[in-house]
Amino acid sequence: MKKSIPQLFGSLVFNDQVMRDKLPKDIYKALKKTIENNTHLELDVANSVAVAMKEWAVENGATHFTHWFQPMTGFTAEKHDSFITPVGDGQVIMDFSGKELVKGEPDASSFPSGGLRATFEARGYTNWDPTSPAFIKDGTLYIPTAFCSYSGEALDKKTPLLRSMETLSREATKVLNLLGNTEVTGVYTTVGPEQEYFLVDKALYQQRKDLIFTGRTLLGAKPPKGQEMEAHYFGTLKTRISAYMHDLDEELWRLGIPAKTKHNEVAPAQHELAPVFETANVAVDHNQLTMEVMKKLADKHDLVCLLHEKPFAGINGSGKHNNWSMITNTGINLLDPGRTPSENIQFLVFLVAVIKAVDEYADLMRVSAASAGNDHRLGANEAPPAVVSIFLGDELTAVLDSIENDTFFGKQQRIQMETGATVLPHFFKDNTDRNRTSPFAFTGNKFEFRMLGSSASVSGPNIVLNTAVAEALSQFYEKLKTAPAEQMEEAVHQLVKDTVLKHKRVVFNGNGYTDEWLAEAEKRGLYNLKSTPDCLPAFIADKNVDLFTRHKIYTKSEIFSRYEILLENYCKTLNIEAETLLDMIHRQFLPALMDYTGSLADSISRKQAAASLSCKQELGLLSRLSAYGDEIAEKTEQLKADTLTASGIGDALEAAHYYHSVILPDMEEIRFIADQAESYLPEAVLPYPAYDKLLFSI
Ligand code: ADP
Ligand code: MG
């Protein structure tokens, strides 16, 4: 019998319901305490949990377990061990201990460490993260874990995220308690990542080396129709796509991932999936899992899911919107304007903390969204510009204006305090139109960070946000802690006012896609870090190293190792792209062009011999195509030489700049000519499927 959706949801997850059913009461309580308060877990508790987990997993068909982790590759990693343990007589039992649950020791030597891990010490450890639920996938019990080196340095994307969540919780709680909200003992960050993706036919994909090796097309003339008719956005789902999305939802639901919204996106063949938000680290794990399931299920449907930020030139690429907020353990969304003036005070404090954080650490936010793929989107009128600014909407901006100027805020009664200060205004949730061009927009009760690329882990941006906001809150706490209770309201008012004055330059409600804004942003002194090599050095800037080390999010060597990994990754990506382009040009495109021009020449001489025809049209085409061929050949020689130069540059940052300023333009020049030539070639001559087939065949 088919399961109902509520029965299906989380059916492969070791969730609270299962824990309650399977664990002895005291063990359940101890585990819950660990999950909610980050307390240490005793080994006897772990042993008991391991037994229950194994029983449940085996009942649900699992034979193996794996510590699932997120190394710096940007993908997830897993190594499967079976539960079987020989017990003599050729018999086995299914066994799993607390030690195996809590700690793993994978060989770390083949994961990027940016020089952190000396070669003589290849060991790495995986540590169970009980705050993210274990689940079963393909007959294996998956245990979410953090991954670190022998000496305890983080080698993954989860460890610093957990650290940043704890830091934010501590600093936010201190401020809330000071403001009189004494019941709160913890604050969680919540994240809802909206995921964009493309689906193309598998048989067509397999004929394109560029898609296979780089995830994006390096060649391809624009088809007669692109996205200009705006017909695809929210359009009717094609049967094949609909079947895929249906399967995808079911699979995600089984894994406890609250997939909620699905629709067609702006570009042809582009789609989006949005889940309901969850605690940040669970949301990050679930987004990684979502991307994996998307790819796996596409294969089953003879499709390929492209998560690259720019699979096709000339039409929109894919991003990821990181919706972010903070919620108290008493259930209050701190970015939700409240119903009473005092709730609004709390809201304003947290709002201006975010504004201050984004203004001071805009460069780090830019770094958190940087990748070779995302460079094709940012600032290209399909995604926010590289300048990080905040959209607040008209009403909230007016509220902040009134605070700044001590003026009366429209709708409410002005209340005068004995001290003469204007009490913070009372206002309601703003439902103004969303501004789609802003990289960081307030959307009613959360912020939406829109710079992220579609393929990236959402861990990085949330680490930066959590840490920068925690820093702002800790400064607020220091400022407010000495204020006597009866003067607290005035002190808060002054703090909000000072913060607005100091950081309002980062607020911008206009159209972020215009050149006027870029000029204005420069006047305001905002960062405009255009490319990945331009922005990465900000990661190791003193103020940012200071931020991360002071809050114990990263050690200095963790930061530098990550910086190295990012640079290296950028160079490798571009090198693979250049090699792929050279291969396609030399072994596919030029041979096809030569074949065709050869047969054209034959046919011209036959026609001329037979009937002395002028063959004006054919001759024109022949000379045009040969000229293109000559130019392409010349430019590919240049690219080849430049690629050689690039690989000889020892300094990683210098190499990255070279790839950006020399190799990329080389590749674009070749493409420009090849695409013109392609538009004159008969379809059957092209050795791989063209854009029209890739984008419009489903
Ligand atoms: P859109 O941005 O397309 O208008 P929604 O406003 O419905 O869509 O929400 C987009 C995403 O924001 C969803 O994933 C949703 O779960 C998430 N979201 C909503 N509230 C919060 C919150 N408090 N914290 C984090 N994410 C949230
Ligand atoms: Mg959105």
Side-chain angles (χ1 to χ4, degrees), residues 53-250:
M53 233 188 226
K54 179 212 65 188
E55 262 178 35
W56 168 82
V58 172
E59 274 167 29
N60 285 283
T63 53
H64 288 68
F65 71 93
T66 183
H67 275 200
W68 185 63
F69 57 103
Q70 297 166 28
M72 296 305 295
T73 53
F75 304 107
T76 59
E78 51 194 74
K79 185 185 99 193
H80 300 225
D81 279 301
S82 75
F83 289 122
I84 66 162
T85 304
V87 285
D89 283 354
Q91 307 278 310
V92 295
I93 55 162
M94 299 298 258
D95 197 27
F96 185 49
S97 70
K99 233 179 87 200
E100 286 171 303
L101 167 63
V102 172
K103 198 166 198 166
E105 264 191 57
D107 182 350
S109 58
S110 296
F111 293 108
S113 81
L116 261 191
R117 189 206 53 245
T119 35
F120 60 85
E121 188 42 89
R123 247 186 305 170
Y125 289 118
T126 49
N127 296 304
W128 179 34
D129 168 17
T131 60
S132 181
F135 56 91
I136 296 171
K137 193 163 78 88
D138 306 325
T140 294
L141 170 68
Y142 280 70
I143 300 156
T145 58
F147 178 48
C148 62
S149 74
Y150 179 68
S151 45
E153 273 148 329
L155 294 174
D156 70 344
K157 304 201 172 202
K158 186 190 268 283
T159 309
L161 178 70
L162 291 174
R163 291 173 184 160
S164 75
M165 288 169 68
E166 266 182 59
T167 303
L168 181 86
S169 174
R170 192 176 55 243
E171 298 303 333
T173 304
K174 268 162 52 186
V175 169
L176 286 168
N177 292 166
L178 199 63
L179 293 176
N181 199 340
T182 48
E183 282 158 44
V184 174
T185 54
V187 171
Y188 304 105
T189 40
T190 50
V191 169
E194 302 165 54
Q195 177 72 49
E196 291 182 338
Y197 61 101
F198 279 85
L199 289 174
V200 296
D201 186 82
K202 183 157 75 176
L204 299 177
Y205 168 92
Q206 281 166 340
Q207 298 169 56
R208 299 262 339 189
K209 292 192 196 193
D210 45 7
L211 284 179
I212 293 173
F213 294 130
T214 73
R216 73 177 181 109
T217 52
L218 302 171
L219 294 168
K222 212 171 141 350
K225 182 181 170 199
Q227 66 191 39
E228 58 273 39
M229 299 301 283
E230 286 154 0
H232 196 253
Y233 192 56
F234 284 14
T236 320
L237 300 176
K238 299 250 172 64
T239 319
R240 227 174 132 190
I241 301 299
S242 174
Y244 167 79
M245 287 180 169
H246 183 83
D247 270 10
L248 179 60
D249 277 341
E250 280 207 359

Side-chain angles (χ1 to χ4, degrees), residues 444-518:
N445 58 2
K446 61 186 187 290
F447 275 101
E448 185 168 341
F449 185 29
R450 304 206 182 104
M451 269 191 162
L452 281 61
S454 46
S455 67
S457 160
V458 287
S459 164
N462 290 301
I463 293 170
V464 173
L465 264 173
N466 293 348
T467 312
V469 173
E471 167 66 21
L473 290 170
S474 91
Q475 288 184 23
F476 285 2
Y477 177 81
E478 291 305 315
K479 286 222 172 83
L480 294 176
K481 72 177 181 194
T482 50
E486 68 279 7
Q487 283 167 27
M488 186 54 84
E489 194 157 337
E490 204 199 330
V492 170
H493 182 266
Q494 196 57 47
L495 175 82
V496 170
K497 183 175 164 177
D498 291 348
T499 312
V500 172
L501 270 170
K502 192 150 175 226
H503 298 290
K504 66 177 179 183
R505 63 170 191 168
V506 75
V507 175
F508 175 65
N509 291 328
N511 182 353
Y513 289 180
T514 62
D515 291 338
E516 289 77 32
W517 165 236
L518 296 184

Side-chain angles (χ1 to χ4, degrees), residues 531 533 570 574-575 578 581 635-647 649 653-670:
S531 69
Y570 179 82
L574 284 180
N575 191 56
L581 182 61
K635 295 213 184 290
T636 47
E637 283 315 304
Q638 187 61 46
L639 174 61
K640 221 171 153 177
D642 291 339
T643 310
L644 209 64
T645 309
S647 59
I649 301 175
L653 181 61
E654 198 186 314
H657 276 297
Y658 188 85
Y659 275 107
H660 182 256
S661 60
V662 178
I663 302 292
L664 262 183
D666 278 355
M667 289 171 60
E668 272 154 24
E669 274 182 46
I670 294 170

Side-chain angles (χ1 to χ4, degrees), residues 190-194 272 274-277 323-325 333 434 436 445-446 448:
T190 50
V191 169
E194 302 165 54
E272 180 181 300
V276 177
F277 68 92
N323 294 274
W324 180 93
S325 190
N333 178 354
R434 312 287 174 83
R436 294 274 156 198
N445 58 2
K446 61 186 187 290
E448 185 168 341

